Amino acid sequence: MMSPFLIKTLEFILAITILVALHEGGHFFFSKLFGVRVNKFYVFFDYKFKLFSTKFAWWRKLRGLPPAKKKEDGTYEYEGTEYGIGWIPLGGYCQIEGMIDETQHDVNKLQEPAQPWEFRSKPCWQRLLIMIGGVLVNFLLALVIYCAVFFAWGEDYIAVKDMPYGMKFNEDAKAIGFKDHDILTGCTDADGKTIEFREFGAQLFRDIAAAKSVNVIRNGKKIEVATPGNLSLLEMLKTDPVFCRPFVPAEIDTILAGTPAAEAGLKKGDKILALGGKPIDSWNTFTYETGRMTDMLTDCNTKTDSIKVLTKQIVYQRGASTDTINVTFDNEVKLGVGMTTIAKYANITHIEHDIFSCIPAGCGYAIDMLGGYVSDLKYVATKEGAKSLGGFGAIGSMFPPVWDWYMFWMMTAFLSIILAFMNILPIPALDGGHVMFLLYEMIFRRKPGLKFMLRAEYIGMGILLLLMVVANLNDILRWLGMM
């Protein structure tokens, strides 16, 4: 059986391969459509080495074309696109003849007169379509995947209004006016519009952050909780515990053999009532307390050479009776129980989709995901936002630890939306940077200078490399427990 890490890695690589191939395929399609030569089409980067490459010489023969002739400088005439797979799985590229980008190294060639088959010789509108081709394909891909997923699997979710135990709130939420077991139903935004909550997730936090009041059911009565209307989504999510979580009773679902729970005699169905003298009303509280114990043991073990252990008293309920046991934890603080989930206590809403209903449902979902992602980008410019950036490790960890095609395709579609939006940003070296310069050309009827374009490309690459370093450094620091 493969390890969860290996499964996540394979899922990540497969998703990136699909997204990169189709993104670059968008540029490739429009380039070929308008007669622009594409020198190389690579999935993954081939720095100094490549896993595979071909020019499909048989296709040239099939069309009756003669072999490419060797020129005076030792190179050969254009033989067609070189297709290949590199060894660095961090992206890919489509090298378009006569285009200023990171794949072009011969600056002198760009100073020569433009040839009919070059990118720079084509009308501005054709160049614009070539540049947005990748973004267009990625967004359309997300739409197609979401529609196909809804058609194949339908929609399954637990509505927050159907969670019988409501939410478990942190101290910041309680200071606003929320109470544990409040059942969230909807909110009123700044424009007075009523929004009905659907499921627990990022959109719920966004709605609460911007709401001027939130509607809840408290002890069977409808209550309106006034909210500031300008809560920081980042602050809501980065606190430990987070702003709110579904309230899940601390009822044991399974016992793992050879663990402290098994040795102590705990059984499935037992409810944990207290841990080390601290009342436990839910798994939310239990995981928070064990997290504090982990931090304490880690700090203690760091300061001393000996490994410290903790013995804690657990009060639990079995049927109508309660009992007390002592459990010894090591520095990982693992009790060894499977926790019940909210799915045990709440009804799951299932929506079936046919070929007609899956299209509006999938498209609407994609637009909502894009809107949510765009709205969250405002936090990136903040100090805490920069810390929250994640690199390849963070992206890979979002995939499920077991192979699940439903989750794989949902994650792939989401990454496709991210790739589309990030590439259209007006940063030189990205597709959006090229679009920005093309729009300048269309408005002012003149191209930016070659030296300016080259310098802008270098600056853009520097910005992208800096962001990549910061994001992946954050991953390393989180892995080391330093963030």
Side-chain angles (χ1 to χ4, degrees):
M1 179 179 286
M2 289 191 292
S3 68
F5 173 78
L6 181 58
I7 291 174
K8 288 186 176 187
T9 301
L10 292 175
E11 288 175 320
F12 172 70
I13 292 176
L14 178 58
I16 290 298
T17 302
I18 294 170
L19 296 180
V20 169
L22 292 177
H23 177 89
E24 299 302 333
H27 297 308
F28 180 87
F29 171 78
F30 284 107
S31 296
K32 290 293 187 179
L33 181 66
F34 300 131
V36 177
R37 288 180 178 177
V38 178
N39 294 326
K40 300 175 75 174
F41 182 95
Y42 266 73
V43 176
F44 303 155
F45 294 116
D46 59 327
Y47 180 73
K48 301 292 186 181
F49 179 70
K50 52 195 173 187
L51 300 178
F52 166 80
S53 70
T54 182
K55 290 190 177 181
F56 293 118
W58 60 269
W59 177 245
R60 187 179 179 90
K61 293 179 180 178
L62 188 64
R63 290 184 295 165
L65 298 175
K69 296 180 180 179
K70 192 172 183 178
K71 297 189 291 187
E72 293 181 359
D73 60 1
T75 61
Y76 285 85
E77 294 177 344
Y78 181 70
E79 298 177 273
T81 305
E82 177 186 329
Y83 303 88
I85 300 175
W87 65 277
I88 307 176
L90 303 180
Y93 65 94
C94 182
Q95 190 182 75
I96 300 172
E97 184 77 17
M99 176 180 163
I100 300 173
D101 66 2
E102 71 280 4
T103 69
Q104 306 290 348
H105 305 292
D106 191 354
V107 178
N108 293 327
K109 189 175 181 180
L110 294 173
Q111 294 175 332
E112 297 175 357
Q115 300 299 320
W117 56 79
E118 290 188 340
F119 173 83
R120 54 187 174 145
S121 70
K122 300 301 177 181
C124 199
W125 67 271
Q126 292 185 1
R127 285 179 280 141
L128 185 63
L129 284 174
I130 291 172
M131 291 318 307
I132 66 173
V135 169
L136 180 63
V137 167
N138 277 133
F139 188 69
L140 290 177
L141 174 65
L143 295 179
V144 170
I145 291 177
Y146 283 133
C147 292
V149 166
F150 287 167
F151 177 74
W153 284 280
E155 294 182 76
D156 288 297
Y157 66 93
I158 298 175
V160 289
K161 65 181 178 61
D162 292 335
M163 296 179 182
Y165 296 102
M167 291 285 166
K168 178 74 175 177
F169 296 91
N170 68 9
E171 294 304 317
D172 293 336
K174 291 177 180 178
I176 294 173
F178 293 100
K179 292 184 178 181
D180 288 344
H181 297 295
D182 280 352
I183 299 175
L184 303 174
T185 59
C187 67
T188 303
D189 64 14
D191 298 324
K193 179 184 176 183
T194 300
I195 299 173
E196 183 178 347
F197 293 146
R198 177 168 148 146
E199 59 190 307
F200 180 80
Q203 190 56 47
L204 177 72
F205 287 97
R206 294 188 193 104
D207 290 337
I208 294 176
K212 66 178 184 180
S213 65
V214 176
N215 303 318
V216 306
I217 297 176
R218 181 179 298 168
N219 299 323
K221 297 180 181 179
K222 294 181 179 179
I223 302 291
E224 189 174 282
V225 179
T227 48
N230 60 349
L231 293 174
S232 168
L233 178 64
L234 199 61
E235 292 291 332
M236 294 170 72
L237 294 174
K238 81 177 185 67
T239 52
D240 184 22
V242 297
F243 190 85
C244 67
R245 286 282 183 187
F247 195 107
V248 183
E251 179 181 348
I252 297 175
D253 183 66
T254 53
I255 301 291
L256 303 180
T259 61
E263 295 173 0
L266 290 172
K267 295 182 179 181
K268 177 178 180 178
D270 290 347
K271 292 183 179 179
I272 298 176
L273 304 179
L275 173 63
K278 297 286 180 83
I280 301 296
D281 60 356
S282 61
W283 284 124
N284 313 69
T285 306
F286 182 84
T287 53
Y288 175 70
E289 291 299 330
T290 54
R292 293 177 64 239
M293 291 164 56
T294 302
D295 293 340
M296 183 178 68
L297 279 174
T298 301
D299 184 59
C300 183
N301 294 334
T302 301
K303 293 178 180 178
T304 62
D305 293 332
S306 59
I307 300 296
K308 303 291 183 180
V309 296
L310 283 178
T311 299
K312 291 288 184 179
Q313 191 179 73
I314 290 181
V315 180
Y316 67 95
Q317 178 182 341
R318 181 176 296 168
S321 62
T322 59
D323 203 352
T324 302
I325 56 172
N326 292 320
V327 176
T328 300
F329 295 94
D330 60 14
N331 61 324
E332 291 188 356
V333 193
K334 300 291 187 182
L335 181 59
V337 299
M339 302 178 183
T340 52
T341 66
I342 191 61
K344 178 176 179 178
Y345 310 98
N347 294 324
I348 297 176
T349 300
H350 178 75
I351 302 175
E352 287 283 352
H353 286 291
D354 57 24
I355 193 65
F356 300 105
S357 65
C358 73
I359 296 175
C363 292
Y365 190 87
I367 292 171
D368 288 342
M369 294 297 287
L370 175 61
Y373 180 74
V374 172
S375 69
D376 294 346
L377 284 179
K378 62 187 176 185
Y379 297 104
V380 174
T382 66
K383 181 180 178 181
E384 291 299 326
K387 290 181 179 179
S388 69
L389 286 175
F392 300 111
I395 296 172
S397 67
M398 295 167 67
F399 286 91
V402 294
W403 199 282
D404 184 324
W405 283 112
Y406 172 83
M407 290 302 301
F408 170 80
W409 287 117
M410 291 295 283
M411 269 302 304
T412 301
F414 179 58
L415 291 179
S416 193
I417 287 176
I418 294 177
L419 185 60
F421 180 78
M422 294 302 294
N423 265 282
I424 206 61
L425 291 176
I427 300 175
L430 290 178
D431 296 343
H434 292 282
V435 170
M436 178 177 63
F437 293 133
L438 286 168
L439 292 176
Y440 170 88
E441 181 183 341
M442 293 174 73
I443 294 171
F444 296 101
R445 303 295 182 181
R446 61 189 179 91
K447 296 181 180 180
L450 178 60
K451 288 184 178 180
F452 171 81
M453 292 285 286
L454 290 170
R455 289 173 181 170
E457 191 74 20
Y458 294 143
I459 292 172
M461 286 299 298
I463 294 172
L464 295 179
L465 287 173
L466 177 62
L467 289 173
M468 187 177 295
V469 168
V470 170
N472 286 284
L473 180 60
N474 285 347
D475 286 350
I476 295 173
L477 293 176
R478 291 190 196 97
W479 181 68
L480 295 174
M482 300 174 64
M483 283 186 68

